[in-house]
Amino acid sequence: MQTRKETLVDELVEYMLVNGLSNVSLRPLAEALGTSARLLIYHFESKEGLLTEVLERMQTRLRQSFGTMLERGSGSSERPLKQFWDWAIAARNFPYLRLLYELQILAAQNPESYGQYLQQNASNWSELIAMALPENERTPAMVTLVGAVFDGLFLELMSTGDRKRTTLAIHHFIKLVDDARETSRVTHKKSAKASAN
């Protein structure tokens, strides 16, 4: 059974999905949830504490969903980045990702309050990205590149609403990576053959 605090976090997520971050101050939030600012302070200590809890709940839900998607698609020939992009832009998931990015931007503007959360979050997503990559490509640079491409294109989608162009860009990036893999494989094969002669 959920605690009152856990229930409040779920209600806050639902409220922010509908209303965004426009009224992220305790009194309007409390009023919208049918509670009091005093109760929110009791459970979360501050607005920053409240937002950190919401961020963590969103991250946990999304990481679990991403992990499940990777498990289901493990036999698929489709690239994990494409699978995740298609999942992220689906109508049922897009509002959650959009809210997550809005919250991330707010947290990044206040590193003194959210620094620990931001570091932990980056680490958690890096681990998931690494799991999705072929073993020989699980380098910090490649993990960072894949994460940055997704982040950049998702922010572009949030800004422009242009799903077609951003989806084509994801496909183009995947093709560039696949082409680089093939070139590396052929070069390695030639080099091994030359060494054997």
Side-chain angles (χ1 to χ4, degrees):
M1 191 165 130
Q2 278 194 323
T3 65
R4 178 62 180 137
K5 183 177 180 180
E6 289 169 335
T7 301
L8 279 170
V9 172
D10 285 340
E11 290 173 357
L12 286 162
V13 168
E14 294 307 314
Y15 173 82
M16 290 180 192
L17 281 169
V18 172
N19 299 286
L21 301 179
S22 59
N23 280 329
V24 182
S25 56
L26 294 179
R27 273 204 176 78
L29 281 174
E31 192 175 306
L33 298 180
T35 188
S36 68
R38 183 179 298 155
L39 187 66
L40 292 180
I41 289 170
Y42 170 77
H43 284 296
F44 304 106
E45 296 181 11
S46 65
K47 181 177 88 170
E48 290 76 18
L50 180 147
L51 288 175
T52 297
E53 293 275 350
V54 170
L55 279 162
E56 287 175 359
R57 178 69 52 89
M58 294 284 294
Q59 291 288 359
T60 299
R61 284 183 186 175
L62 292 170
R63 283 193 305 267
Q64 288 170 345
S65 183
F66 183 48
T68 301
M69 184 197 63
L70 286 177
E71 287 173 19
R72 273 195 239 129
S74 61
S76 170
S77 61
E78 206 170 64
R79 296 287 180 251
L81 181 58
K82 182 184 181 319
Q83 291 175 21
F84 188 57
W85 181 260
D86 291 344
W87 174 88
I89 66 171
R92 69 185 178 281
N93 300 321
F94 182 77
Y96 287 92
L97 268 289
R98 184 185 61 228
L99 177 59
L100 177 69
Y101 277 81
E102 289 174 5
L103 288 163
Q104 285 280 121
I105 290 165
L106 182 66
Q109 292 170 346
N110 300 287
E112 63 285 345
S113 298
Y114 301 104
Q116 186 176 353
Y117 161 78
L118 291 167
Q119 288 298 319
Q120 186 61 48
N121 175 57
S123 175
N124 290 340
W125 280 105
S126 292
E127 287 172 19
L128 281 173
I129 293 167
M131 285 174 29
L133 289 171
E135 198 169 331
N136 64 332
E137 293 179 9
R138 291 178 186 170
T139 64
M142 189 62 172
V143 168
T144 301
L145 178 60
V146 170
V149 167
F150 183 90
D151 287 346
L153 288 172
F154 196 84
L155 288 169
E156 178 71 12
L157 173 57
M158 284 175 60
S159 300
T160 66
D162 193 337
R163 289 173 188 256
K164 183 177 179 183
R165 184 171 54 83
T166 51
T167 299
L168 284 172
I170 281 281
H171 292 176
H172 186 66
F173 175 72
I174 291 168
K175 184 175 181 336
L176 288 172
V177 171
D178 286 347
D179 290 349
R181 279 186 189 132
E182 182 60 21
T183 300
S184 176
R185 190 189 67 74
V186 168
T187 302
H188 181 71
K189 195 173 178 181
K190 285 180 182 176
S191 176
K193 191 175 179 180
S195 295
N197 290 337

